[in-house]
Amino acid sequence: MTGLQELLREDLRGSTPYGAPQLEVPVRLNTNESSYPVPPEVVAEITSAVAAVAPDLNRYPDREFTALRTELAAYLTRTTGTAVDPAQVWAGNGSNEVLQHVVLAFGGPGRTALGFTPAYSMHPIISRSVGTTWVDGLRGQGSTQAFDLTAESAVEQVRAHDPHLVFLCSPNNPTGTALGLDVVERVYDAAERAVVVVDEAYAEFARPGTPSALGLLEGRPRLVVTRTMSKAFAFAGGRLGYLAADPAFVDALRLVRLPYHLSSPTQAVALAALHHADTMLATVEAIKHERDRMVDGLAALGLEPVPSDANFVLFGGLADARATWQALLDRGVLVRDVGIPHYLRVTAGTPAETDAFLAAMAQVAGQDGFGTDDGSTR
Ligand code: PMP
């Protein structure tokens, strides 16, 4: 009898699925969710929005999610100062799904996608899952900062690989720092035959003066900016991600989406949350404050936090990152081992969570220390 391994596509054999641990611990700071629950007034509107669509669940939802696209375009226009038309907007069940739509339409067998590692781990997983060849580009070239991506280095790598898709992530997960728009512009010009994706999942947390790539969309039909309601919007469980691009680009995505991919409850719930955008986003400033407190606290412990424009902090200087991860978990604090030797990533949440994280770190430092980082990962 043929085993499943032999039936599985050759290129998937031996791969590991995406899987951040979902553990029941007091302090969960490992998946960059918001630690703040949905406020009661929004819960009330969400509940009545679901009740309102329930009788019509015998019918398929609006395949074009017109009302939702209109509200998402208005949200982007209002918060970024770049006028975005509903025809430029596309959405899916999380930005992972909109990224998958982009790769389905523009990647695939015989095509290449380039990203700059370390970056969001789903970019290669989604690319490979539809048969796209993934190229791991490098960060830290031509810079004293290990995780910087300079325009020169990005352009050089684009020229060397001539990809069909380029992934830029700004602010970058897991390193936290946003890209200058010069990198996006120069990559776009160099990648003459490529779709250029700027993943802005964490844009709302960026430090002042960090512009969005949305302002570059005009006149760049191959550029796409992806966003999500999972992070700043505190809506990870609602599963709503979206993108903005040229209307013709959005049309291409209609070729690969499954019909009615956004259920009517998903559309209704997301619309209700968007009606309360200010309330849903009210914790962003507080989270940025906690992020900065983590950066200061980690530096005070002699560690090396990377400058962050996101709701998380990557920090280095750990002799054995896995041992520190476990020591924190033993103290009820779950952070993320992103697989970069000597580094861990921690999500910024409530003041109490920052206190618990920094107290646990101080305990670990006092007990075993973090060892010395010999800098060999640089
Ligand atoms: N992009 C980046 C950079 C992310 O970190 C994440 C989630 N961790 C996503 C996209 C996907 O998020 P979602 O599917 O919840 O929108």
Side-chain angles (χ1 to χ4, degrees):
M1 215 169 84
T2 318
L4 262 190
Q5 274 304 310
E6 288 128 66
L7 295 178
L8 188 64
R9 262 166 47 190
E10 286 85 346
D11 59 323
L12 292 179
R13 290 179 203 164
S15 309
T16 23
Y18 173 92
Q22 288 194 302
L23 304 177
E24 277 303 322
V25 293
V27 182
R28 277 190 290 167
L29 300 177
N30 74 327
T31 48
N32 302 338
E33 297 150 326
S34 173
S35 294
Y36 291 91
V38 176
E41 68 264 38
V42 189
V43 170
E45 183 164 341
I46 285 175
T47 310
S48 48
V50 172
V53 297
D56 296 326
L57 286 174
N58 58 316
R59 299 288 178 192
Y60 284 116
D62 173 10
R63 197 174 49 220
E64 286 296 317
F65 42 98
T66 316
L68 187 56
R69 282 194 291 120
T70 304
E71 284 302 317
L72 288 167
Y75 168 73
L76 288 178
T77 303
R78 186 158 55 81
T79 54
T80 68
T82 296
V84 176
D85 189 85
Q88 292 180 266
V89 174
W90 187 247
N93 295 280
S95 52
N96 282 328
E97 187 176 45
V98 301
L99 288 166
Q100 188 185 50
H101 288 167
V102 171
V103 181
L104 278 169
F106 297 99
R111 295 184 169 213
T112 303
L114 170 68
F116 301 92
T117 310
Y120 181 42
S121 61
M122 284 304 297
H123 295 159
I125 294 177
I126 292 170
S127 298
R128 289 189 182 118
S129 75
V130 303
T132 317
T133 302
W134 178 260
V135 179
D136 257 335
L138 303 168
R139 307 180 85 85
Q141 311 295 296
S143 166
T144 53
Q145 300 300 311
F147 303 118
D148 266 8
L149 181 63
T150 64
E152 291 69 31
S153 164
V155 163
E156 199 180 301
Q157 296 181 66
V158 163
R159 294 219 171 100
H161 298 290
D162 192 19
H164 300 83
L165 277 157
V166 182
F167 285 91
L168 297 170
C169 192
S170 180
N172 186 45
N173 179 12
T175 60
T177 320
L179 280 177
L181 288 190
D182 60 317
V183 181
V184 181
E185 287 173 293
R186 299 263 313 270
V187 162
Y188 186 88
D189 291 342
E192 282 171 12
R193 67 165 181 178
V195 160
V196 177
V197 180
V198 185
D199 183 335
E200 290 193 351
Y202 300 95
E204 290 95 339
F205 297 107
R207 286 169 293 178
T210 313
S212 163
L214 286 168
L216 299 178
L217 285 177
E218 179 86 49
R220 291 185 178 83
R222 297 177 284 110
L223 182 65
V224 53
V225 180
T226 63
R227 293 270 184 128
T228 182
M229 290 176 72
S230 295
K231 311 295 179 183
F233 233 90
F235 202 62
R239 307 307 298 129
L240 205 291
Y242 55 104
L243 60 73
D246 192 271
F249 187 100
V250 171
D251 271 343
L253 305 179
R254 291 187 167 90
L255 300 172
V256 296
R257 62 98 183 273
L258 296 175
Y260 317 109
H261 67 290
L262 283 180
S263 77
S264 21
T266 297
Q267 295 185 38
V269 165
L271 271 173
L274 277 163
H275 288 156
H276 291 272
D278 292 344
T279 313
M280 296 297 279
L281 290 162
T283 51
V284 167
E285 285 309 313
I287 291 169
K288 285 164 71 176
H289 179 74
E290 294 311 308
R291 167 195 73 198
D292 295 342
R293 207 152 75 81
M294 283 178 162
V295 168
D296 294 345
L298 288 163
L301 287 169
L303 297 168
E304 295 157 21
V306 178
S308 177
D309 290 296
N311 65 341
F312 57 83
V313 180
L314 184 77
F315 57 99
L318 306 167
D320 183 347
R322 192 71 200 169
T324 304
W325 181 86
Q326 186 61 55
L328 289 171
L329 186 57
D330 294 344
R331 289 163 176 79
V333 181
L334 179 61
V335 301
R336 188 72 167 270
D337 182 352
V338 287
I340 308 175
H342 309 292
Y343 283 85
L344 290 173
R345 192 194 71 192
V346 59
T347 305
T350 64
E353 286 171 332
T354 308
D355 292 345
F357 166 69
L358 290 176
M361 286 295 286
Q363 264 185 24
V364 178
Q367 221 162 48
D368 307 319
F370 301 113
T372 40
D373 180 5
D374 61 7
S376 58
T377 57
R378 300 270 146 145

